PDB file of all heavy atoms in Angstrom:
ATOM      1  N   ASP A  35     -11.046  -9.086  15.589  1.00  0.00           N
ATOM      2  CA  ASP A  35     -11.562  -9.910  16.769  1.00  0.00           C
ATOM      3  C   ASP A  35     -12.495  -9.113  17.611  1.00  0.00           C
ATOM      4  O   ASP A  35     -13.503  -9.609  18.156  1.00  0.00           O
ATOM      5  CB  ASP A  35     -10.379 -10.396  17.619  1.00  0.00           C
ATOM      6  CG  ASP A  35      -9.436  -9.376  18.108  1.00  0.00           C
ATOM      7  OD1 ASP A  35      -9.433  -8.251  17.572  1.00  0.00           O
ATOM      8  OD2 ASP A  35      -8.645  -9.617  19.024  1.00  0.00           O
ATOM      9  N   VAL A  57      12.859   1.196   2.186  1.00  0.00           N
ATOM     10  CA  VAL A  57      12.742   1.380   0.722  1.00  0.00           C
ATOM     11  C   VAL A  57      14.011   2.023   0.235  1.00  0.00           C
ATOM     12  O   VAL A  57      14.501   3.033   0.766  1.00  0.00           O
ATOM     13  CB  VAL A  57      11.583   2.344   0.408  1.00  0.00           C
ATOM     14  CG1 VAL A  57      11.348   2.419  -1.168  1.00  0.00           C
ATOM     15  CG2 VAL A  57      10.268   1.870   1.081  1.00  0.00           C
ATOM     16  N   ALA A  91      14.076 -11.896  -5.655  1.00  0.00           N
ATOM     17  CA  ALA A  91      14.249 -11.618  -4.232  1.00  0.00           C
ATOM     18  C   ALA A  91      15.287 -12.527  -3.638  1.00  0.00           C
ATOM     19  O   ALA A  91      15.479 -13.666  -4.114  1.00  0.00           O
ATOM     20  CB  ALA A  91      12.875 -11.867  -3.478  1.00  0.00           C
ATOM     21  N   LYS A  94      16.989 -14.320   3.206  1.00  0.00           N
ATOM     22  CA  LYS A  94      17.996 -14.883   4.059  1.00  0.00           C
ATOM     23  C   LYS A  94      17.324 -15.832   5.013  1.00  0.00           C
ATOM     24  O   LYS A  94      16.588 -15.423   5.939  1.00  0.00           O
ATOM     25  CB  LYS A  94      18.693 -13.785   4.807  1.00  0.00           C
ATOM     26  CG  LYS A  94      19.908 -14.364   5.539  1.00  0.00           C
ATOM     27  CD  LYS A  94      20.474 -13.283   6.451  1.00  0.00           C
ATOM     28  CE  LYS A  94      21.495 -13.933   7.378  1.00  0.00           C
ATOM     29  NZ  LYS A  94      21.605 -13.173   8.601  1.00  0.00           N
ATOM     30  N   MET A 117      14.027  -1.117  -4.258  1.00  0.00           N
ATOM     31  CA  MET A 117      14.141  -2.358  -3.537  1.00  0.00           C
ATOM     32  C   MET A 117      13.581  -2.267  -2.151  1.00  0.00           C
ATOM     33  O   MET A 117      13.725  -1.211  -1.548  1.00  0.00           O
ATOM     34  CB  MET A 117      15.662  -2.710  -3.437  1.00  0.00           C
ATOM     35  CG  MET A 117      15.917  -4.148  -3.235  1.00  0.00           C
ATOM     36  SD  MET A 117      17.622  -4.517  -3.539  1.00  0.00           S
ATOM     37  CE  MET A 117      18.543  -3.360  -2.616  1.00  0.00           C
ATOM     38  N   PRO A 127       2.634  -4.770  21.938  1.00  0.00           N
ATOM     39  CA  PRO A 127       1.368  -4.674  22.687  1.00  0.00           C
ATOM     40  C   PRO A 127       0.277  -3.846  21.959  1.00  0.00           C
ATOM     41  O   PRO A 127      -0.903  -4.059  22.091  1.00  0.00           O
ATOM     42  CB  PRO A 127       1.722  -4.126  24.028  1.00  0.00           C
ATOM     43  CG  PRO A 127       3.036  -3.462  23.850  1.00  0.00           C
ATOM     44  CD  PRO A 127       3.738  -4.060  22.599  1.00  0.00           C
ATOM     45  N   ARG A 208     -19.909 -14.037  -2.458  1.00  0.00           N
ATOM     46  CA  ARG A 208     -20.871 -15.121  -2.722  1.00  0.00           C
ATOM     47  C   ARG A 208     -21.809 -15.383  -1.555  1.00  0.00           C
ATOM     48  O   ARG A 208     -23.035 -15.432  -1.635  1.00  0.00           O
ATOM     49  CB  ARG A 208     -20.187 -16.351  -3.183  1.00  0.00           C
ATOM     50  CG  ARG A 208     -21.137 -17.366  -3.826  1.00  0.00           C
ATOM     51  CD  ARG A 208     -20.474 -18.685  -4.188  1.00  0.00           C
ATOM     52  NE  ARG A 208     -20.053 -19.455  -3.003  1.00  0.00           N
ATOM     53  CZ  ARG A 208     -18.787 -19.740  -2.733  1.00  0.00           C
ATOM     54  NH1 ARG A 208     -17.812 -19.369  -3.514  1.00  0.00           N
ATOM     55  NH2 ARG A 208     -18.506 -20.451  -1.650  1.00  0.00           N
ATOM     56  N   VAL A 222     -27.967  -8.563 -10.652  1.00  0.00           N
ATOM     57  CA  VAL A 222     -26.623  -8.170 -11.073  1.00  0.00           C
ATOM     58  C   VAL A 222     -26.595  -6.762 -11.552  1.00  0.00           C
ATOM     59  O   VAL A 222     -27.527  -6.363 -12.323  1.00  0.00           O
ATOM     60  CB  VAL A 222     -26.157  -9.168 -12.157  1.00  0.00           C
ATOM     61  CG1 VAL A 222     -24.787  -8.766 -12.750  1.00  0.00           C
ATOM     62  CG2 VAL A 222     -26.093 -10.613 -11.631  1.00  0.00           C
ATOM     63  N   PRO A 224     -25.691  -4.266 -14.063  1.00  0.00           N
ATOM     64  CA  PRO A 224     -25.112  -4.360 -15.448  1.00  0.00           C
ATOM     65  C   PRO A 224     -24.062  -3.325 -15.743  1.00  0.00           C
ATOM     66  O   PRO A 224     -23.235  -3.455 -16.652  1.00  0.00           O
ATOM     67  CB  PRO A 224     -26.334  -4.229 -16.289  1.00  0.00           C
ATOM     68  CG  PRO A 224     -27.372  -3.466 -15.486  1.00  0.00           C
ATOM     69  CD  PRO A 224     -27.068  -3.808 -14.053  1.00  0.00           C
TER      70      PRO A 224
END
Side-chain angles (χ1 to χ4, degrees):
D35 55 343
V57 183
K94 188 186 168 208
M117 201 165 52
R208 195 183 66 243
V222 173

